Amino acid sequence: MSQLPRFWNLGWSSFLDWWSNSPVVSEQESSPLYGQQQLNETFLDHGEGQQFLTKAFQVILEEVLCKGTDVKEKVCDWREPEDLAALLDLELRENGESQHQLLKRVQDVAKYSVKTNHPRFFNQLFAGVDYHALAGRFLTEALNTSQYTYEVAPVFVLMEEEVLSKLRSLVGWTHGDGIFCPGGTVSNMYAMNLARFRAFPEVKVKGQWALPRLAVFASQEVCHYSVMKAAAFQGIGTENVFKVNVDDRGCMNPEDLCEKIELAKSQGAVPFFVHATSGTTVKGAFDPLESIADICERLGLWMHVDAAWGGSVLLSNEHRHLMKGVERADSVTWNPHKMMLTGLQCSAILLKDTTDLLKHCHCADATYLFQQDKFYDKSLDTGDKSIQCGRKVDCLKLWLMWKAVGSKGLEGRVDRAFAHVRYLVEEMKRREGFQLIWEPEFVNVCFWFIPPSLRGDENSPDYQDRLSKVAPTIKERMMKQGTMMVGYQPHGGRVNFFRMIVISPQVSHEDMTFFLDEIERLGKDL
């Protein structure tokens, strides 16, 4: 096995040895039969299961955490869908397989999966690995509890509130509420639902029949598509999402917001919710929160800030100014699984509200879970704040990582990402063929690569069509060769361009240089 990450050398090998060599205790006495099954014996062999788990962990360590973080290894081992399906042998059969065969399955899954922990994975708004957070993820899975009552999740009920309180304090609130949700889309849906309930509490009982036509406001093109999903899912309707113009940087125009609010009113709609963004998905733009807050306060509208991507700038004294005014919002979405590296998934909806609005909006008072005569403080049963029943524990990985590196360590990660972006942009400007689409405000670097054959042909009638094919071709080549991954997209009338995301603390200036060299190598003949 190649050298393990330092985290795993702190007693982990000894633990694996102990686990592998633990004696297996089994029943020796004969047991009565019920049909073909001995009901007095355990159905699962813990010793065999633990041996398998130990060996599976060794495969995970080698394939995912050693090879998967090694720049000499591939980011992905690309296979066409039909070939991959055959390699994995996905069919589920009547009889089970041997441990040896199952371990081969584990190895194949690891081998042919994309290595998002790799230093040259730049494709998404998440990347890299934090080993303390990963330990929290392993422990979460092993404990396998649901975060709805204190009786089944006492540690995590207390832990979740502590973590949420810390996140709220970074927003600027001394009090408030919140909950971890399964992703930023659901967190944004919570905000819209809470805003509607605050404005029209009768909706919970009477439904949409009791409401007027409602109006939502979000940025044109650059807001997250979850706004449209939320409007559709909650019966508000996508035609009632009024799109607000943005400036050249992709930031919401407050003057146009006022005009769109008046337009909605003139059409008989009732404005109730403004969706601002801190860190848009493509451009990384930050809306002017102070100006938007002025409008929302004057008109009595709920102001939500979708900071799923950009919220982590609040950890940095140098960069938190990008979210100036966020404390004036009613709610904030923040995804620590993105820039904070907790691992998927970890998303919080944070609220300024102190009236228990979250619970009033979502509670169903299920008596089999939330009995009113419990022997402990029933306010610790937080499950009725959620639209879910069973809810995964998402706080442990964040809490353990924060304990390990502290707020200062997290701040350093944010500042390091910005420093890498500055270096990358400077290098791009020195090289022929790299054309920045705009100066990055955040850690999203958007650019075209202009191959030699297109340079100087900007006025040709087919230039845009030819340019649009460059990014998809380079992306195909890099994936089939496994050298790196970076995303591309068309946006706002612009043909396909690359969106480079820099967040992993594992990356170095050497990786930034490699990225530029590789784009040139893969695209020089186009």
Side-chain angles (χ1 to χ4, degrees):
M1 181 182 290
S2 58
Q3 185 177 2
L4 297 179
R6 183 172 60 180
F7 175 85
W8 300 104
N9 291 331
L10 303 179
W12 184 255
S13 298
S14 299
F15 173 71
L16 291 178
D17 289 340
W18 168 81
W19 199 349
S20 300
N21 297 319
S22 295
V24 178
V25 179
S26 61
E27 293 277 350
Q28 298 298 320
E29 299 179 2
S30 61
S31 305
L33 296 179
Y34 181 79
Q36 296 299 314
Q37 192 167 337
Q38 295 177 317
L39 296 181
N40 283 350
E41 293 183 357
T42 58
F43 190 67
L44 297 176
D45 185 330
H46 287 291
E48 182 180 339
Q50 290 165 9
Q51 283 188 346
F52 170 76
L53 186 58
T54 299
K55 292 176 182 178
F57 265 130
Q58 290 172 336
V59 173
I60 293 168
L61 288 169
E62 175 66 19
E63 295 293 332
V64 179
L65 298 171
C66 292
K67 292 181 181 179
T69 58
D70 187 344
V71 293
K72 297 187 292 294
E73 298 286 343
K74 291 183 176 183
V75 177
C76 66
D77 191 343
W78 175 260
R79 294 289 188 276
E80 294 297 331
E82 58 275 13
D83 297 332
L84 182 59
L87 281 168
L88 295 175
D89 185 19
L90 296 170
E91 182 185 351
L92 299 173
R93 301 181 177 90
E94 289 296 318
N95 296 317
E97 297 179 337
S98 67
Q99 271 206 18
H100 175 77
Q101 185 61 51
L102 291 171
L103 289 170
K104 179 66 166 59
R105 304 289 189 207
V106 173
Q107 189 167 29
D108 286 346
V109 168
K111 176 179 173 61
Y112 296 112
S113 291
V114 174
K115 307 306 186 296
T116 64
N117 300 331
H118 198 286
R120 291 168 184 171
F121 176 82
F122 309 110
N123 204 69
Q124 311 298 145
L125 303 185
F126 61 87
V129 59
D130 179 280
Y131 291 103
H132 303 96
L134 183 58
R137 291 154 70 187
F138 285 155
L139 183 53
T140 296
E141 295 299 331
L143 289 170
N144 190 39
T145 194
S146 181
Q147 180 112 27
Y148 42 41
T149 64
Y150 184 77
E151 64 184 272
V152 296
V155 171
F156 302 126
V157 166
L158 301 180
M159 185 182 291
E160 181 177 59
E161 180 47 41
E162 179 61 32
V163 173
L164 291 170
S165 177
K166 185 66 174 180
L167 294 174
R168 287 194 301 266
S169 72
L170 290 167
V171 171
W173 302 329
T174 55
H175 301 286
D177 204 350
I179 198 169
F180 280 96
C181 299
T185 290
V186 175
S187 293
N188 288 338
M189 286 182 171
Y190 268 61
M192 190 180 293
N193 199 42
L194 290 164
R196 181 176 62 175
F197 179 76
R198 186 183 72 173
F200 301 97
E202 63 272 21
V203 69
K204 183 175 180 179
V205 177
K206 297 180 180 179
Q208 291 285 81
W209 295 102
L211 303 186
R213 177 188 173 193
L214 300 179
V216 171
F217 304 88
S219 296
Q220 179 77 33
E221 293 182 348
V222 298
C223 74
H224 194 260
Y225 62 81
S226 60
V227 178
M228 302 298 283
K229 287 185 176 239
F233 185 77
Q234 295 175 27
I236 293 167
T238 56
E239 289 185 355
N240 295 315
V241 178
F242 289 76
K243 296 297 185 69
V244 181
N245 292 337
V246 297
D247 62 20
D248 292 339
R249 295 175 301 148
C251 305
M252 183 183 286
N253 182 331
E255 292 182 1
D256 193 59
L257 173 60
C258 291
E259 292 179 11
K260 291 300 192 303
I261 291 171
E262 291 305 313
L263 175 63
K265 289 179 178 178
S266 72
Q267 296 178 1
V270 177
F272 80 105
F273 183 78
V274 175
H275 181 104
T277 308
S278 288
T280 57
T281 304
V282 177
K283 289 187 172 184
F286 288 76
D287 285 341
L289 301 183
E290 290 278 24
S291 299
I292 295 169
D294 288 343
I295 296 167
C296 290
E297 288 174 6
R298 185 174 72 250
L299 300 177
L301 308 181
W302 183 290
M303 176 182 170
H304 175 63
V305 177
D306 178 1
W309 177 215
S312 295
V313 301
L314 294 174
L315 293 159
S316 169
N317 287 325
E318 182 179 354
H319 301 291
R320 63 175 292 120
H321 67 87
L322 291 168
M323 290 183 64
K324 183 181 179 185
V326 66
E327 72 282 353
R328 298 174 64 188
D330 294 287
S331 56
V332 174
T333 290
W334 186 347
N335 284 11
H337 70 237
K338 292 183 175 172
M339 203 171 194
M340 290 177 75
L341 270 77
T342 61
L344 291 161
Q345 58 192 4
C346 189
S347 176
I349 176 71
L350 306 172
L351 303 172
K352 185 192 294 183
D353 174 76
T354 58
T355 67
D356 223 7
L357 186 70
L358 193 56
K359 183 175 180 180
H360 293 318
C361 180
H362 295 143
C363 70
D365 300 319
T367 56
Y368 72 95
L369 280 176
F370 309 114
Q371 300 92 341
Q372 298 304 299
D373 53 358
K374 289 188 175 183
F375 63 92
Y376 60 82
D377 181 359
K378 63 180 184 296
S379 69
L380 293 168
D381 291 349
T382 56
D384 241 2
K385 294 181 180 183
S386 170
I387 60 173
Q388 301 165 253
C389 179
R391 186 163 63 94
K392 188 177 180 65
V393 173
D394 285 328
C395 59
L396 174 56
K397 51 199 168 192
L398 177 53
W399 177 85
L400 193 58
M401 179 184 70
W402 211 316
K403 281 285 192 181
V405 303
S407 299
K408 285 296 183 183
L410 296 174
E411 178 180 20
R413 292 179 181 184
V414 174
D415 292 344
R416 179 183 173 90
F418 275 88
H420 278 315
V421 166
R422 288 193 294 271
Y423 173 81
L424 183 66
V425 169
E426 289 169 4
E427 288 298 305
M428 279 185 176
K429 290 178 178 178
R430 292 191 182 103
R431 300 192 184 208
E432 189 177 7
F434 289 90
Q435 183 178 331
L436 282 169
I437 297 178
W438 45 72
E439 288 288 331
E441 186 175 21
F442 192 28
V443 294
N444 307 40
V445 182
C446 297
F447 67 96
W448 283 298
F449 176 69
I450 316 296
S453 67
L454 287 179
R455 293 171 196 169
D457 280 357
E458 290 81 3
N459 295 322
S460 298
D462 63 345
Y463 177 81
Q464 292 295 318
D465 181 60
R466 291 160 64 197
L467 180 60
S468 72
K469 295 179 172 64
V470 172
T473 304
I474 292 176
K475 177 66 177 281
E476 179 182 0
R477 291 177 176 182
M478 74 174 67
M479 290 200 66
K480 289 185 174 178
Q481 296 176 33
T483 55
M484 64 182 188
M485 281 183 67
V486 64
Y488 74 88
Q489 63 283 301
H491 184 74
R494 296 178 174 87
V495 298
N496 288 322
F497 57 86
F498 287 110
R499 181 199 65 172
M500 168 70 161
I501 301 296
V502 186
I503 51 172
S504 172
Q506 295 164 236
V507 302
S508 64
H509 280 182
E510 182 180 346
D511 295 309
M512 300 294 98
T513 302
F514 174 86
F515 172 79
L516 297 174
D517 292 343
E518 188 68 357
I519 291 287
E520 289 179 331
R521 183 184 75 83
L522 295 169
K524 63 184 178 183
D525 64 333
L526 296 179

